[in-house]
Amino acid sequence: MYVDLGNALDAEPRLTREALERLDERVADAHDRIDRLRDEGAHGYASLNLPETVDPAAIRRAVARFDDPAAVLTVGIGGSALGAATLTEALGTDLDAYVLDNVDPTHVAALLDTLPLSDTVVHVVSRSGTTAETLSNFLVVREAMADAGVDWTERTLVTTGPSGNLRDLAARHDLPVLDVPAGSPGRFSVLSTVALPVAALAGHDIEALLDGARAEADRLTGSLFEAPAYAYGATCYALERRGAGVNAMMPYAESLESFAEWFAQLWAESLGKDAVGQTPARALGATDQHSQLQLYRAGPRDKLVTLVRPRERPDVSIPETDFDGLDYLGGGSLGDLLEAEFRATEASLAASDCPNVRIEVDRIDERGVGELLYGMEAACTLYGELAGVETFTQPAVEWSKRAARGLLGGGDVDADDAVPEKRRLVID
Amino acid sequence: MYVDLGNALDAEPRLTREALERLDERVADAHDRIDRLRDEGAHGYASLNLPETVDPAAIRRAVARFDDPAAVLTVGIGGSALGAATLTEALGTDLDAYVLDNVDPTHVAALLDTLPLSDTVVHVVSRSGTTAETLSNFLVVREAMADAGVDWTERTLVTTGPSGNLRDLAARHDLPVLDVPAGSPGRFSVLSTVALPVAALAGHDIEALLDGARAEADRLTGSLFEAPAYAYGATCYALERRGAGVNAMMPYAESLESFAEWFAQLWAESLGKDAVGQTPARALGATDQHSQLQLYRAGPRDKLVTLVRPRERPDVSIPETDFDGLDYLGGGSLGDLLEAEFRATEASLAASDCPNVRIEVDRIDERGVGELLYGMEAACTLYGELAGVETFTQPAVEWSKRAARGLLGGGDVDADDAVPEKRRLVID
């Protein structure tokens, strides 16, 4: 992974090279702390060890019983789903990869109509084994398989924690089961048993994914001027402190759309605490030049734009044309056009003093994606240290989980969690 | 469309009922101005007349020659594509609906592998007839059809302005052609020949879509306390002025994911000007409760969350279960669960003083979607009036368009538009 900070400096909000150099002393301290906590296997920090601690052979063994399926369906929510979507979308696949990460009945019904149930592997993922959305969806899918005469026990793979409903279910029906990694919250678990099984089923080189991550891990040192991941994390933090409350993640690759969503979860849930934290906005190049760019250039000066691009990609030629005024396109390629748009957008952001960072990988392949995902996790971990927040917890989402359970009659909910009468001012 | 402002008041940033009442005098003036400019058919304002001025019969005639296709592909970018994606995703379709709105060669190649070329209708949309991305993609698709022995002239529908390459092409090959509506920028043109042809091909009731929009238009009066669309637009404006720089659009319906993207374009490109404008963030309920909610509740107090839900939707039962502690789910439905999550999230935002607005439609059907889309356009128009920006232009995107053209050797580019050397500070 390469990080270019050139356009992040001396824009608005203003961050100087000198300020980054001063910050680098704090980066050194933060790195020492991160390193120590990784060694101790502390909650969350252990995620940065995943490229070493995960066993790809065990993942390959667990999926080996599924012989060349037509489709794979991940049933999970949040970090238990976004990693799989990110990998299969980025790396492409001949197999149809679906994710069920919402409990919208319209969507679930439509998906069940589409899925080749007898030829689908279902990967159900829940650390606790009690996530209401995931288990409800799994019950619905399982029943649909049974109704279609498909033996669901032959088509189901489980990833879960050491105890709970899914662990029991796997034991009862002799399902292949993988352990969620210890000390790794969902949003930091893409490089593990949570998302790698689907990549393995889709024929991807999961060892190369881990190699890419390991290469990025090996580059973490006590200076942001040496470690690309830290360069990015420290710059985001420094810009947020100066007023860049929004971080627009804008990959120039359609296949990284889910990556931007994965990043949004990583950033929002890890850093949105104690009244600080950058708001991630998802964008996509070149499409969103015709949508968000106006705002980034001419709106409030509260934004950092993160541009991501592969240095190489396959290309498609544009046929010759007699279209008036468009002869400059004919004989070129879509890749040339996309590249020109990338450079023009980057320059136009710089010209309007909107800070932007360029992140590159050599190619969007297993190794490049491994570098990128690990790099963002390390960047987020550093940002959290610098901001002094608890990066690896998510206390503010617990309230509504308990409240939803209370509304459904799920008992043992404190009186505090009862949902109060809504204040209304209805215009209809 | 119903708008409930109850949770938008007395939160943080703080907006009071009294402040809204004071603002209502300006709403009355703005409404007079909007009304007058609609009558005059002024640029942009004319969009609010579309439910009256568009001729659904002409659209039906234009698509009648395509007999029950298997797929439809919209080739466009920005507002020329998002409307079609929004309609087909919201309303569902048996026909496979694709959108090509990026020039990513990897994606284009993958799409061409998937498309049943001989049974696909291509709808190419460009007001100017010169949009580089759209024309390049069209050239590639057309060649793929020719290579596959498909007569592309039998499979192509054009929507464009009064002159330009696409108009000439249509004349030369006798293609069915529809006129883009006069005075309606792409992001305000979903209820026109830009997106309705695809809805018609997909078997949707485009008259009901227009009826829904007309019903919303008929409710625009000089008071935000009477017109739901104005209630929303005025509240967004008032909250942004008080510090809510981010507007998270969070529908509780998977089928409204593209709607959130359409909204993001509408909001960003219309309002992101003169150093003001709310940054739209896209979210999805219930999925993003496990992603963005932590930030919305506990992060900086700079957000408004807009929750959208249908009052009725089809449902799917959850089978009975012996899962430990989850018996409260069994025998219920996914709809009950989603509804409980919606109410819990709304309450949890209120409990943490995060302002939120609830927008409802009766159902996500043609009428409901027509109300919603028109309502957002009217809300945006009012916001622009109150903020004093030029809602219907997008000057800041022109620079990079010219610069990209210059990079590709497309001539007649001012020296000012040359892309300067990039400042570099590469960490690799």
Side-chain angles (χ1 to χ4, degrees):
Chain A
M1 187 173 87
Y2 312 88
V3 172
D4 185 345
L5 304 179
N7 282 350
L9 300 180
D10 304 314
E12 197 186 340
R14 184 151 185 267
L15 173 65
T16 62
R17 166 94 195 202
E18 293 68 36
L20 273 188
E21 282 168 5
R22 285 193 302 274
L23 183 61
D24 208 29
E25 293 175 30
R26 291 185 55 206
V27 171
D29 291 343
H31 174 66
D32 285 348
R33 191 175 130 86
I34 292 168
D35 242 16
R36 178 169 54 77
L37 290 162
R38 278 177 66 182
D39 281 349
E40 293 172 8
H43 179 71
Y45 299 91
S47 312
L48 296 182
N49 298 327
L50 281 177
E52 301 297 339
T53 54
V54 139
D55 178 7
I59 292 171
R60 292 211 176 276
R61 279 195 301 278
V63 304
R65 72 186 284 179
F66 306 110
D67 191 25
D68 200 20
V72 58
L73 171 68
T74 301
V75 181
I77 195 163
S80 296
L82 281 169
T86 300
L87 294 182
T88 51
E89 188 182 305
L91 299 172
T93 158
D94 289 334
L95 167 154
D96 288 324
Y98 300 94
V99 170
L100 199 48
D101 64 350
N102 202 354
V103 284
D104 181 325
T106 311
H107 177 66
V108 173
L111 180 65
L112 289 176
D113 273 352
T114 308
L115 271 185
L117 288 169
S118 62
D119 204 10
T120 296
V121 174
V122 177
H123 184 207
V124 54
V125 186
S126 165
R127 174 179 298 273
S128 65
T130 60
T131 312
E133 295 93 334
T134 301
L135 288 242
S136 298
N137 277 334
F138 177 65
L139 288 170
V140 170
V141 171
R142 187 173 80 166
E143 185 174 71
M145 283 186 156
D147 288 351
V150 175
D151 181 355
W152 65 270
T153 66
E154 292 294 313
R155 319 291 314 154
T156 303
L157 169 68
V158 169
T159 291
T160 192
S163 63
N165 287 306
L166 286 181
R167 179 66 61 173
D168 298 345
L169 185 83
R172 205 178 320 141
H173 297 283
D174 198 24
L175 308 178
V177 59
L178 289 161
D179 301 330
V180 288
S184 193
R187 59 189 179 276
F188 282 85
S189 67
V190 55
L191 297 165
S192 79
T193 51
V194 168
L196 293 177
V198 171
L201 278 166
H204 298 304
D205 183 347
I206 59 176
E207 287 80 3
L209 265 160
L210 293 168
D211 282 346
R214 208 174 294 122
E216 216 51 46
D218 288 345
R219 298 165 70 198
L220 297 180
T221 72
S223 171
L224 74 91
F225 295 102
E226 291 172 9
Y230 284 167
Y232 182 63
T235 300
C236 291
Y237 165 73
L239 279 167
E240 190 226 332
R241 289 269 300 163
R242 286 159 177 78
V246 173
N247 184 351
M249 173 54 76
M250 189 171 186
Y252 270 70
E254 187 96 7
S255 68
L256 293 181
E257 211 169 357
S258 286
F259 160 75
E261 206 165 324
W262 171 88
F263 173 84
Q265 190 209 12
L266 180 74
W267 226 241
E269 212 166 44
S270 301
L271 304 171
K273 280 155 199 173
D274 307 332
V276 300
Q278 223 168 19
T279 299
R282 298 172 243 153
L284 181 67
T287 308
D288 278 318
Q289 293 175 207
H290 299 259
S291 169
Q292 306 302 302
L293 187 60
Q294 167 71 34
L295 172 71
Y296 300 164
R297 287 202 72 194
R301 315 315 296 166
D302 61 353
K303 291 176 191 69
L304 158 68
V305 179
T306 303
L307 302 163
V308 181
R309 78 182 263 272
R311 289 186 168 183
E312 284 173 37
R313 60 177 117 215
D315 211 345
V316 168
S317 302
I318 302 174
E320 294 291 347
T321 172
D322 60 351
F323 281 161
D324 196 31
L326 289 171
D327 45 312
Y328 71 96
L329 292 173
S333 73
L334 293 183
D336 295 342
L337 178 55
L338 186 59
E339 178 64 15
E341 305 243 25
F342 174 87
R343 286 184 54 203
T345 296
E346 185 180 55
S348 93
L349 291 168
S352 63
D353 278 335
C354 176
N356 59 91
V357 171
R358 185 200 284 196
I359 295 181
E360 292 174 313
V361 291
D362 288 324
R363 281 166 298 280
I364 301 179
D365 56 8
E366 287 89 342
R367 188 178 170 96
V369 171
E371 291 176 11
L372 188 60
L373 295 173
Y374 188 94
M376 293 298 109
E377 291 181 9
C380 185
T381 302
L382 178 73
Y383 186 144
E385 293 300 308
L386 295 174
V389 297
E390 279 197 6
T391 308
F392 303 109
T393 61
Q394 52 285 336
V397 304
E398 300 303 328
W399 195 100
S400 65
K401 276 192 205 173
R402 285 195 305 272
R405 194 182 162 104
L407 284 172
L408 289 166
D412 70 289
V413 176
D414 292 352
D416 292 353
D417 296 335
V419 171
E421 184 86 11
K422 182 180 175 324
R423 290 175 293 169
R424 292 189 183 279
L425 173 56
V426 180
I427 320 296
D428 64 0
Chain B
M1 187 173 87
Y2 311 89
V3 172
D4 184 346
L5 303 179
N7 282 349
L9 300 180
D10 304 313
E12 198 186 339
R14 185 152 185 266
L15 174 65
T16 61
R17 166 94 196 204
E18 293 69 38
L20 273 188
E21 282 167 5
R22 286 194 300 274
L23 183 61
D24 208 28
E25 293 175 30
R26 291 184 54 206
V27 170
D29 291 343
H31 174 65
D32 286 347
R33 190 174 132 87
I34 292 169
D35 242 15
R36 178 170 54 79
L37 290 162
R38 277 177 67 181
D39 281 349
E40 294 171 9
H43 179 72
Y45 298 91
S47 312
L48 296 181
N49 298 328
L50 281 177
E52 301 296 341
T53 54
V54 141
D55 178 6
I59 292 171
R60 293 213 176 275
R61 279 195 302 276
V63 303
R65 72 187 283 180
F66 307 112
D67 191 25
D68 199 20
V72 58
L73 171 68
T74 301
V75 181
I77 195 162
S80 296
L82 280 168
T86 299
L87 293 183
T88 51
E89 189 182 305
L91 300 171
T93 158
D94 289 334
L95 167 153
D96 288 325
Y98 299 94
V99 170
L100 200 48
D101 64 350
N102 201 354
V103 284
D104 180 327
T106 311
H107 176 67
V108 173
L111 179 66
L112 289 176
D113 274 352
T114 308
L115 272 184
L117 289 169
S118 62
D119 205 10
T120 295
V121 174
V122 178
H123 184 206
V124 53
V125 186
S126 165
R127 174 179 299 272
S128 65
T130 59
T131 312
E133 296 93 333
T134 301
L135 288 243
S136 299
N137 278 334
F138 176 66
L139 288 170
V140 170
V141 171
R142 185 173 82 167
E143 185 174 70
M145 283 186 155
D147 288 351
V150 176
D151 181 356
W152 66 270
T153 66
E154 292 293 315
R155 320 289 314 153
T156 302
L157 170 67
V158 169
T159 292
T160 192
S163 64
N165 287 306
L166 286 182
R167 179 66 62 175
D168 297 345
L169 185 82
R172 204 178 321 141
H173 297 282
D174 198 22
L175 309 178
V177 60
L178 289 162
D179 301 329
V180 288
S184 192
R187 59 188 179 278
F188 282 84
S189 67
V190 55
L191 297 165
S192 79
T193 51
V194 168
L196 293 177
V198 172
L201 279 166
H204 298 303
D205 182 348
I206 59 176
E207 288 79 4
L209 265 160
L210 293 169
D211 283 346
R214 208 173 295 123
E216 216 50 45
D218 288 344
R219 298 166 70 198
L220 297 179
T221 72
S223 171
L224 73 92
F225 296 103
E226 292 172 10
Y230 285 168
Y232 182 63
T235 300
C236 290
Y237 165 74
L239 278 167
E240 190 226 330
R241 290 268 301 163
R242 286 159 176 79
V246 173
N247 183 352
M249 173 54 75
M250 189 170 187
Y252 269 70
E254 187 98 8
S255 67
L256 293 181
E257 211 168 358
S258 287
F259 160 74
E261 206 164 323
W262 172 88
F263 173 84
Q265 190 208 14
L266 181 74
W267 226 241
E269 211 164 46
S270 301
L271 305 172
K273 280 154 198 174
D274 307 331
V276 300
Q278 222 168 20
T279 298
R282 297 173 245 154
L284 181 68
T287 309
D288 278 317
Q289 293 176 208
H290 298 259
S291 168
Q292 307 301 302
L293 187 59
Q294 166 72 36
L295 173 71
Y296 300 163
R297 287 203 73 195
R301 316 313 297 166
D302 62 352
K303 290 176 191 70
L304 158 68
V305 178
T306 303
L307 302 163
V308 181
R309 77 183 263 273
R311 289 187 168 181
E312 284 173 37
R313 60 176 114 216
D315 210 346
V316 168
S317 302
I318 302 174
E320 294 290 345
T321 171
D322 59 351
F323 282 161
D324 197 29
L326 290 170
D327 45 314
Y328 72 94
L329 292 173
S333 72
L334 294 182
D336 294 342
L337 178 56
L338 186 59
E339 178 64 14
E341 306 243 26
F342 174 86
R343 286 184 55 203
T345 297
E346 185 180 56
S348 94
L349 291 167
S352 63
D353 278 335
C354 177
N356 59 92
V357 171
R358 185 200 284 196
I359 295 181
E360 292 173 313
V361 291
D362 288 324
R363 281 167 298 279
I364 301 177
D365 57 8
E366 286 88 343
R367 187 178 171 97
V369 171
E371 291 177 10
L372 189 60
L373 295 172
Y374 188 94
M376 294 298 108
E377 291 180 9
C380 185
T381 303
L382 177 72
Y383 185 145
E385 293 301 308
L386 295 174
V389 296
E390 278 196 8
T391 309
F392 303 108
T393 61
Q394 51 285 335
V397 304
E398 301 303 328
W399 194 100
S400 64
K401 276 192 205 173
R402 285 194 305 270
R405 195 182 161 104
L407 284 172
L408 289 165
D412 70 291
V413 177
D414 293 353
D416 292 351
D417 296 334
V419 171
E421 183 87 11
K422 182 179 174 327
R423 290 175 293 167
R424 291 187 185 278
L425 173 55
V426 180
I427 320 295
D428 63 0

